[in-house]
Amino acid sequence: MTQKNPQRGQLIVLSGPSGVGKSTVIAELLSERPDIYFSISFTTRKPRVGEADGVNYYFVSKEAFEEMIARDEFLEYAQYVDNYYGTSLRLIEEKLSAGTDVLLDIEVQGAAKVREKCPDAVLIFIIPPSFEELSRRLHGRHTDDEEVIQGRLQKAREEWKEIPSYHYLVVNDKVSHAASEIMAILTAEGCRTKYRKEWMEGV
Amino acid sequence: MTQKNPQRGQLIVLSGPSGVGKSTVIAELLSERPDIYFSISFTTRKPRVGEADGVNYYFVSKEAFEEMIARDEFLEYAQYVDNYYGTSLRLIEEKLSAGTDVLLDIEVQGAAKVREKCPDAVLIFIIPPSFEELSRRLHGRHTDDEEVIQGRLQKAREEWKEIPSYHYLVVNDKVSHAASEIMAILTAEGCRTKYRKEWMEGV
């Protein structure tokens, strides 16, 4: 990057329906851009097999989470079924202040809260090439029964309606292509005049 | 590009002070993106040695240019010293409608007019790494005398003030880097939710 003074990092929000292949796109993106900090959420849900504290999530008790809410420590948090999920404001702010770009993988509710609190956040929504393809991918996983799949598809339909409130829409037709579009978005956002004010001085 | 229906082309405005190396950046950009139509301006100034009609400019008489003004045929036009320079609205519109991206190399006055008439135009300003570097580059050309150079530097100072009205600022520290930032901007602009409305349907 062309940088005169260390710039504040960019806050990037990535949302997309279950089954869109978001984790694969994120893995590809982070392998190309290892400087990006991928935010780890706090949750009250129990770790699944293979999940580790501080890697997949920070696993905390419901009481601890509710104390964090009371202390206004979350940039955003949401409740799904009986579990809380939230993003620590302090962790994010430390990274952004140090000039590190921060990537949040959050759902549409959380994204709306981030947009309110951080007007400079870049909101990207990832979709599959078609809704039929999403259904095919969810069925192809062979991990969920039909009822769960139908629930995910219904949720996807609702999330889809929120796309206009995102800045960018990336179609995951091919992982490398989706990741490269996201990288282009980050580069372009860094070129915005408002972030390069220091270059306008000294003439 | 991920395209469902043929999209309308993007109108890209590139401005920058004399001596910034804009032509070199444009040449690099067009070699990577030969699909972009680089707009050729109409002018009433006389061709210089090596310049050809329909390549560098469309060279027309003052009378012909003024008739085009009267018929409102310009997207923008401006007068410098005794010469007119202008962009044909019809030519641009044909390309954009056909889905071709169009690049305009115009000065700040013209850019302001394009911004008014085409709110979706993407405005990019290119600057050298520093004002001192611009002075060095202008002196290094050995084509202009000191008075002309001082005039160009004064003009650059005035143009510099208009940078905040551009969307993006690209620093030409290295031609390939500047060109790749512009390409990223074009990719990102194409990912804007507002241009991908057709993907939001059919769920």
Side-chain angles (χ1 to χ4, degrees):
Chain A
M1 295 279 288
T2 304
Q3 291 205 341
K4 202 164 195 172
N5 299 320
Q7 276 179 306
R8 187 176 158 84
Q10 293 179 317
L11 183 57
I12 310 136
V13 171
L14 219 58
S15 304
S18 176
V20 71
K22 203 171 23 160
S23 333
T24 320
V25 172
I26 289 174
E28 173 86 8
L29 176 65
L30 296 177
S31 78
E32 296 279 338
R33 287 279 314 269
D35 57 299
I36 293 175
Y37 171 73
F38 181 50
S39 168
I40 300 165
S41 298
F42 285 73
T43 186
T44 57
R45 85 152 164 72
K46 298 283 163 281
R48 293 178 192 148
V49 175
E51 286 185 339
D53 187 51
V55 177
N56 307 88
Y57 286 96
Y58 295 111
F59 295 99
V60 296
S61 69
K62 195 174 178 186
E63 294 66 36
F65 200 103
E66 288 176 343
E67 277 169 29
M68 287 178 77
I69 296 174
R71 289 196 303 265
D72 202 18
E73 287 186 24
F74 288 111
L75 171 60
E76 59 81 32
Y77 72 92
Q79 199 165 10
Y80 296 102
V81 199
D82 286 333
N83 298 305
Y84 284 117
Y85 296 82
T87 307
S88 159
L89 186 57
R90 185 178 52 77
L91 280 181
I92 300 304
E93 189 50 45
E94 278 174 13
K95 298 288 180 184
L96 293 174
S97 302
T100 302
D101 293 341
V102 173
L103 179 64
L104 304 182
D105 171 4
I106 50 179
E107 308 212 34
V108 292
Q109 296 175 39
K113 286 179 196 160
V114 173
R115 199 170 51 241
E116 262 177 53
K117 291 197 185 176
C118 310
D120 281 339
V122 180
L123 277 69
I124 306 172
F125 199 92
I126 310 188
I127 56 168
S130 70
F131 203 77
E132 295 66 41
E133 175 62 21
L134 184 66
S135 172
R136 259 194 302 279
R137 289 184 193 178
L138 286 171
H139 284 96
R141 284 172 164 189
H142 302 297
T143 51
D144 300 314
D145 62 28
E146 189 57 29
E147 194 183 347
V148 171
I149 291 178
Q150 288 307 322
R152 292 196 197 280
L153 288 173
Q154 184 49 38
K155 187 149 183 293
R157 267 185 211 99
E158 283 155 26
E159 289 169 337
W160 223 273
K161 291 178 198 150
E162 302 303 320
I163 298 178
S165 63
Y166 284 72
H167 302 108
Y168 298 99
L169 179 60
V170 167
V171 181
N172 186 20
D173 44 4
K174 201 171 154 230
V175 170
S176 60
H177 184 233
S180 75
E181 286 199 335
I182 295 172
M183 280 187 283
I185 291 167
L186 304 187
T187 299
E189 286 287 330
C191 293
R192 287 197 168 275
T193 311
K194 64 176 177 179
Y195 298 130
R196 293 191 154 173
K197 287 207 166 62
E198 72 279 14
W199 290 95
M200 298 176 209
E201 295 156 12
V203 298
Chain B
M1 295 280 290
T2 304
Q3 292 204 341
K4 202 165 196 171
N5 299 321
Q7 275 179 308
R8 187 176 156 81
Q10 293 178 319
L11 183 56
I12 310 136
V13 171
L14 218 57
S15 304
S18 175
V20 71
K22 203 171 25 159
S23 334
T24 320
V25 172
I26 289 174
E28 173 86 10
L29 177 65
L30 296 177
S31 78
E32 296 279 338
R33 286 280 313 270
D35 58 299
I36 294 175
Y37 171 72
F38 181 48
S39 168
I40 300 166
S41 298
F42 285 73
T43 185
T44 57
R45 86 153 163 73
K46 298 283 162 284
R48 293 180 192 146
V49 176
E51 286 186 337
D53 186 53
V55 177
N56 307 88
Y57 286 96
Y58 295 111
F59 295 100
V60 296
S61 68
K62 196 174 176 185
E63 293 67 35
F65 200 103
E66 288 176 343
E67 278 169 28
M68 288 177 76
I69 296 175
R71 289 196 302 267
D72 203 18
E73 288 187 23
F74 288 111
L75 172 58
E76 59 81 29
Y77 72 92
Q79 200 166 8
Y80 296 102
V81 198
D82 286 332
N83 298 306
Y84 284 117
Y85 297 82
T87 306
S88 159
L89 186 57
R90 184 178 52 78
L91 280 181
I92 300 305
E93 189 50 44
E94 278 173 15
K95 297 289 178 183
L96 293 175
S97 303
T100 302
D101 293 341
V102 173
L103 179 64
L104 303 183
D105 170 4
I106 50 180
E107 308 214 33
V108 292
Q109 295 176 38
K113 286 179 198 158
V114 173
R115 199 170 51 240
E116 262 177 55
K117 291 196 185 175
C118 310
D120 281 340
V122 179
L123 277 69
I124 306 173
F125 199 92
I126 310 188
I127 56 168
S130 69
F131 203 77
E132 294 67 42
E133 175 62 19
L134 184 65
S135 172
R136 259 194 303 278
R137 289 184 193 178
L138 285 171
H139 283 97
R141 285 172 165 190
H142 301 298
T143 51
D144 300 314
D145 62 27
E146 189 58 30
E147 196 184 346
V148 172
I149 292 177
Q150 288 308 322
R152 292 196 197 281
L153 288 172
Q154 185 48 38
K155 186 150 184 292
R157 269 185 210 99
E158 283 154 25
E159 289 169 337
W160 223 274
K161 292 178 197 148
E162 303 303 321
I163 297 177
S165 63
Y166 284 72
H167 302 109
Y168 298 99
L169 179 59
V170 166
V171 182
N172 185 20
D173 44 3
K174 204 172 153 228
V175 170
S176 60
H177 184 232
S180 76
E181 285 198 335
I182 295 172
M183 281 187 283
I185 290 167
L186 303 186
T187 299
E189 285 288 329
C191 294
R192 289 195 166 277
T193 311
K194 63 176 176 179
Y195 298 128
R196 294 192 154 173
K197 287 208 165 63
E198 72 276 15
W199 289 96
M200 299 177 209
E201 295 155 12
V203 299

